[in-house]
Amino acid sequence: MKVIISPAAINGVVTANPSKSAMQRAVAAALLAKGTTMIHNPGLSNDCLAALEVAENLGAMVKRLDDGIQITSKGVQPFYDEINCGESGLGIRMFTPIAALSEQPITIEGHGSLVTRPMHFFEEVLPQLGVEIKSRDGKLPLKIKGPLQAKDITIDGSLSSQFLTGLLMAFGSVADKAAITVKDLKSKPYIALTLQIMEHFGVKVRQDNFQVFHFDKKQEYRAKEYTVEGDWSGAAFLLVAAAVAGKAEVHHLNTQSAQSDKAIMEALEKAGAEILPGVFTMIVVKNALKAFEMDATDCPDLFPPLVALAANCKGITKIKGVSRLAHKESDRGLTLQQEFAKMGIKIDLQGDEMFVHGGTGIKGNVTVSSHNDHRIAMACAVAALTADGAITIENAEAINKSYPEFYEHLETLGGIVEREELKV
Ligand SMILES: O=C(O)C1=C[C@@H](OP(=O)(O)O)[C@@H](O)[C@H](O)C1
Ligand SMILES: C=C(OP(=O)(O)O)C(=O)O
């Protein structure tokens, strides 16, 4: 699908979409728990749907009800010898150690960009925990055979926190006394979110400075009611849209959330946007915007909205953490540079730093590509609001990975979105 976004002023109120990071973790916890869990405000993005299907294939019963999604489980008891994590990096890295709790051989598949994302971590770590594993040169498909035994282990956390999330979740249901030591952990707030959700479902982990994670006694996940928080990662695009093109009120955003991407507020403040915080509501209003500096090493998903913001800020914005972007749905440092260049915005990449030359005007009447990356599509859509003509985004349906409601929400706020379905 192509969408054409015309320049427009933003003004309106929306409720943030459910966080896929929180939803996927809750689905995993519900699978690991014995009993019936009810998930309210469930996410229905592609990554969330993939997590639900994986949970079903690993033994859970999933029912869609009017007030949420009900998951009934007896723990991991696979129905099939294959699971498919769709395009979700978190999904595959979290569910692989969980699937390995069973002794049944299981093939783990995915599609799209997931097929080229690195998984060699598992080949280094899982054999130390008693799991046999084969991959295609560190990539999908993975073939595993458990059962995983929780033991003291040291891992490298520099590529992604998602592997640690998977080990923590799996250890939570089998560890007696064990510790995971992590070297050079990145994206730490995502681990805080994992620990918070594990604790909600009855499993406590003692941690020292995000370096050592101790399991002190045998614990069990308990089936619970859980309400998925609003998604700061998706809302970041709407808040930036307001800062550059008008005003927006976004509901269901918790400023006390463990989500790393609430750091968008720090960037908006530095850039000079007007911010009116409320209880579970953020109001952002346009103001004169200036270049800012930000370290996004631990909140890498903020790069695309930060670039859309920086494009509208006078001066050169410096964002640190570019090396975290190489293995996302696209190589996001390069795709941002390439697509924003088409809109007349110069981006320099120097080592781990990105420099965005903003305030020079955004060029419209151009076609950009999402590179099948949801966050690139959303960043280009926000850039279009202040361009001097409409911007066509190819492969615009990429947003379904995390935020299927994105274009509707943009329209609710006053955005002008024309959809062109491809004719077959
Ligand atoms: O745990 C999670 O929910 C996520 C962790 C982050 O990945 P890294 O830990 O690889 O940075 C983030 O980029 C991803 O979108 C979601
Ligand atoms: C990188 C992302 O997700 P994941 O790694 O879970 O595929 C993302 O949502 O931007």
Side-chain angles (χ1 to χ4, degrees), residues 60-350:
M61 252 175 50
V62 175
K63 259 197 206 163
R64 282 202 200 191
L65 303 176
D66 286 347
D67 57 342
I69 288 184
Q70 191 188 60
I71 301 180
T72 304
S73 179
K74 294 184 186 146
V76 177
Q77 298 184 2
F79 283 144
Y80 294 108
D81 57 3
E82 185 174 314
I83 57 174
N84 191 314
C85 296
E87 212 176 349
S88 173
L90 174 67
I92 196 148
R93 288 155 176 175
M94 182 174 64
F95 282 112
T96 296
I98 291 174
L101 291 170
S102 152
E103 61 184 4
Q104 184 173 316
I106 295 180
T107 301
I108 302 164
E109 290 277 10
H111 63 244
S113 55
L114 200 60
V115 176
T116 55
R117 291 174 72 181
M119 304 296 156
H120 54 263
F121 175 95
F122 287 131
E123 281 174 315
E124 282 150 30
V125 169
L126 290 184
Q128 298 177 53
L129 303 173
V131 180
E132 290 168 34
I133 172 157
K134 269 199 204 123
S135 76
R136 189 182 47 83
D137 290 332
K139 306 262 165 66
L140 294 185
L142 309 176
K143 288 181 189 295
I144 57 163
K145 176 161 180 353
L148 179 147
Q149 296 145 38
K151 293 180 186 158
D152 289 350
I153 190 164
T154 298
I155 63 165
D156 176 8
S158 62
L159 178 67
S160 169
S161 68
Q162 295 172 339
F163 299 105
L164 174 60
T165 283
L167 289 180
L168 288 166
M169 299 264 340
F171 270 45
S173 70
V174 286
D176 216 329
K177 194 154 179 51
I180 304 176
T181 303
V182 190
K183 300 243 159 72
D184 196 14
L185 178 63
K186 298 292 195 313
S187 283
K188 289 193 188 85
Y190 284 98
I191 295 303
L193 184 67
T194 303
L195 298 180
Q196 191 187 71
I197 293 176
M198 286 174 70
E199 190 163 342
H200 180 90
F201 284 89
V203 175
K204 274 198 181 139
V205 184
R206 192 165 52 84
Q207 60 97 1
D208 302 329
N209 214 14
F210 286 87
Q211 283 168 353
V212 190
F213 297 82
H214 302 272
F215 293 81
D216 292 325
K217 59 172 194 255
K218 178 82 180 67
Q219 301 180 76
E220 273 182 8
Y221 286 91
R222 287 196 297 271
K224 276 282 171 77
E225 303 254 323
Y226 179 79
T227 302
V228 180
E229 286 186 353
D231 184 30
W232 277 100
S233 314
F237 292 98
L238 307 180
L239 298 170
V240 168
V244 303
K247 179 179 176 185
E249 185 173 325
V250 185
H251 292 183
H252 205 221
L253 286 178
N254 177 6
T255 49
Q256 303 306 309
S257 168
Q259 291 177 52
S260 64
D261 291 350
K262 70 178 186 214
I264 190 64
M265 297 315 296
E266 185 190 322
L268 287 167
E269 201 177 317
K270 285 181 180 169
E274 196 183 330
I275 298 169
L276 310 167
V279 180
F280 284 93
T281 292
M282 296 306 312
I283 303 173
V284 172
V285 187
K286 180 180 162 177
N287 219 344
L289 296 172
K290 56 181 190 303
F292 58 96
E293 283 194 17
M294 178 93 179
D295 184 349
T297 303
D298 279 345
C299 47
D301 294 356
L302 281 186
F303 264 89
L306 287 176
V307 168
L309 174 64
N312 287 279
C313 293
K314 205 166 178 340
I316 301 174
T317 289
K318 176 168 136 185
I319 314 170
K320 194 168 177 296
V322 178
S323 54
R324 303 292 335 283
L325 303 181
H327 302 292
K328 300 296 183 190
E329 288 80 339
S330 67
D331 185 341
R332 281 187 185 149
L334 291 176
T335 48
L336 285 165
Q337 183 183 46
Q338 197 175 326
E339 299 313 309
F340 274 72
K342 294 178 187 165
M343 298 183 278
I345 297 294
K346 180 167 149 56
I347 296 178
D348 295 325
L349 299 171
Q350 287 171 20

Side-chain angles (χ1 to χ4, degrees), residues 32-49:
L32 290 163
K34 295 191 177 78
T36 299
T37 289
M38 187 66 197
I39 302 183
H40 301 285
N41 189 37
L44 297 173
S45 64
N46 286 351
D47 281 7
C48 296
L49 296 177

